[in-house]
Amino acid sequence: MVDRHKARKMNDMNSATEEPCVILCMKWGTLYGPDYVNVLYAAVADNITIPFRFVCLTDDRTGLRPEVECFDIPPMDLGPDRFAFGGWPKLSVFARDLCGLKGRALFVDLDTIIVGDITPMVQMEGGVCLIREWRRFADYFRKWGVNGMTSIFAFTLGEQPQILQKFMDDPDYAFANYRSEQRWVTDTAHDMRFWPEGWVVSFKRNLLAPPLLNRVIPPKSPPPGARIVAFHGEPRPIHVVPDRGQRWGNWSRYGRGAVPFVRDYWLRYGGSDPA
């Protein structure tokens, strides 16, 4: 964790000469409440050493803290079913002009835990920098391609408009041939790069014990050098915050009660206690 007083001092020193980066998140529907955005803002502020703007693209600004800059999610005319499935609204951030925002941006999913300095992630060179998809068990028995995951990705605003434009030119083709927006990004991004090994770890792939063993072995804490823990799919962070012995996950990604580092993170950065 970056020392917040040191980071604030560095922000003050650099703000006059350095263009702030943009930390982006997106919230639509009811799956994620305002706590997710507010906690993420506090965690970013505590783990970055350069000036930043925190922007939430959303359909509901209720309950969001005043430091969060809110903009409407750019219209994509997908219809409610397509809009909600697979994260396709994320493609809107690749518009040639996104709400007048400029500079380097880091998009962060709301179901993400920041555990280290994210400054190098914003500053990493490349067209689109994203997660290399973690292998599932079934992937070891079939052809394995190179695919990116868009839980956390960096890019320069306005410099990858083809990602959105090609989709909008023929969305029917995209939905017929792609399971999710992240594979679309993998195929249409220019100068795609992956985060260095260990920067982003998966809760369910890297920290949770294998099936059956996870019934007796608790989840591990993030390793040294990790900057972000991604909660892609089940369980979500809010499921492992309560400390009441609740079951969470599913038969293969199983656990009980609070995961200490997640509970500490959630409460430390202002999240309400579900217990």
Side-chain angles (χ1 to χ4, degrees):
M1 182 176 67
V2 176
D3 182 273
R4 69 182 66 188
H5 300 295
K6 180 180 178 182
R8 195 171 292 123
K9 182 178 180 181
M10 294 180 70
N11 267 332
D12 293 341
M13 293 172 60
N14 295 331
S15 58
T17 58
E18 187 173 353
E19 183 78 17
C21 67
V22 177
I23 307 299
L24 281 171
C25 67
M26 187 174 286
K27 182 178 84 70
W28 73 87
T30 59
L31 182 60
Y32 300 105
D35 261 6
Y36 271 94
V37 178
N38 295 337
V39 167
L40 184 60
Y41 169 83
V44 166
D46 208 24
N47 288 279
I48 195 168
T49 60
I50 56 176
F52 72 96
R53 298 172 64 182
F54 189 97
V55 172
C56 181
L57 305 175
T58 183
D59 59 1
D60 184 2
R61 309 177 185 203
T62 305
L64 300 184
R65 57 191 296 167
E67 299 93 336
V68 176
E69 297 183 56
C70 295
F71 295 94
D72 293 337
I73 299 172
M76 294 177 68
D77 300 322
L78 299 182
D81 293 336
R82 286 182 168 183
F83 186 86
F85 178 76
W88 292 97
K90 289 183 187 179
L91 297 186
S92 65
V93 306
F94 294 108
R96 195 176 299 276
D97 180 5
L98 179 65
C99 308
L101 300 168
K102 298 184 182 301
R104 196 66 175 169
L106 180 70
F107 184 97
V108 184
D109 269 355
L110 294 179
D111 53 351
T112 291
I113 303 293
I114 298 176
V115 295
D117 184 9
I118 62 171
T119 308
M121 303 184 77
V122 181
Q123 297 174 328
M124 182 169 162
E125 295 181 354
V128 179
C129 306
L130 69 173
I131 301 168
R132 181 164 188 162
E133 187 176 25
W134 292 284
R135 282 192 176 189
R136 295 166 293 182
F137 180 75
D139 292 327
Y140 289 94
F141 302 95
R142 59 191 177 192
K143 185 178 179 180
W144 174 247
V146 176
N147 294 301
M149 289 183 66
T150 57
S151 297
I152 302 100
F153 60 91
F155 67 107
T156 299
L157 289 151
E159 289 192 358
Q160 299 274 340
Q162 79 287 347
I163 296 175
L164 174 63
Q165 190 57 57
K166 288 181 179 180
F167 172 80
M168 296 305 298
D169 287 344
D170 192 355
D172 290 335
Y173 171 83
F175 281 103
N177 292 276
Y178 288 82
R179 182 170 56 90
S180 68
E181 95 294 337
Q182 54 197 21
R183 297 205 173 187
W184 179 268
V185 172
T186 299
D187 284 356
T188 57
H190 295 159
D191 190 18
M192 187 184 74
R193 306 187 188 189
F194 296 121
W195 300 119
E197 186 74 21
W199 279 20
V200 181
V201 297
S202 164
F203 177 78
K204 64 183 181 181
R205 306 269 186 236
N206 301 132
L207 304 183
L208 197 58
L212 300 182
L213 290 178
N214 54 30
R215 282 158 169 74
V216 293
I217 300 175
K220 296 181 290 188
S221 294
R227 302 181 187 276
I228 283 181
V229 177
F231 280 75
H232 46 110
E234 297 290 331
R236 304 188 189 281
I238 199 65
H239 298 157
V240 304
V241 170
D243 191 14
R244 55 172 183 258
Q246 76 283 357
R247 293 182 181 180
W248 45 258
N250 53 36
W251 74 269
S252 63
R253 305 297 175 189
Y254 177 92
R256 278 184 174 273
V259 175
F261 84 88
V262 181
R263 179 174 173 82
D264 174 71
Y265 169 94
W266 184 261
L267 299 180
R268 174 160 38 100
Y269 290 125
S272 56
D273 189 347

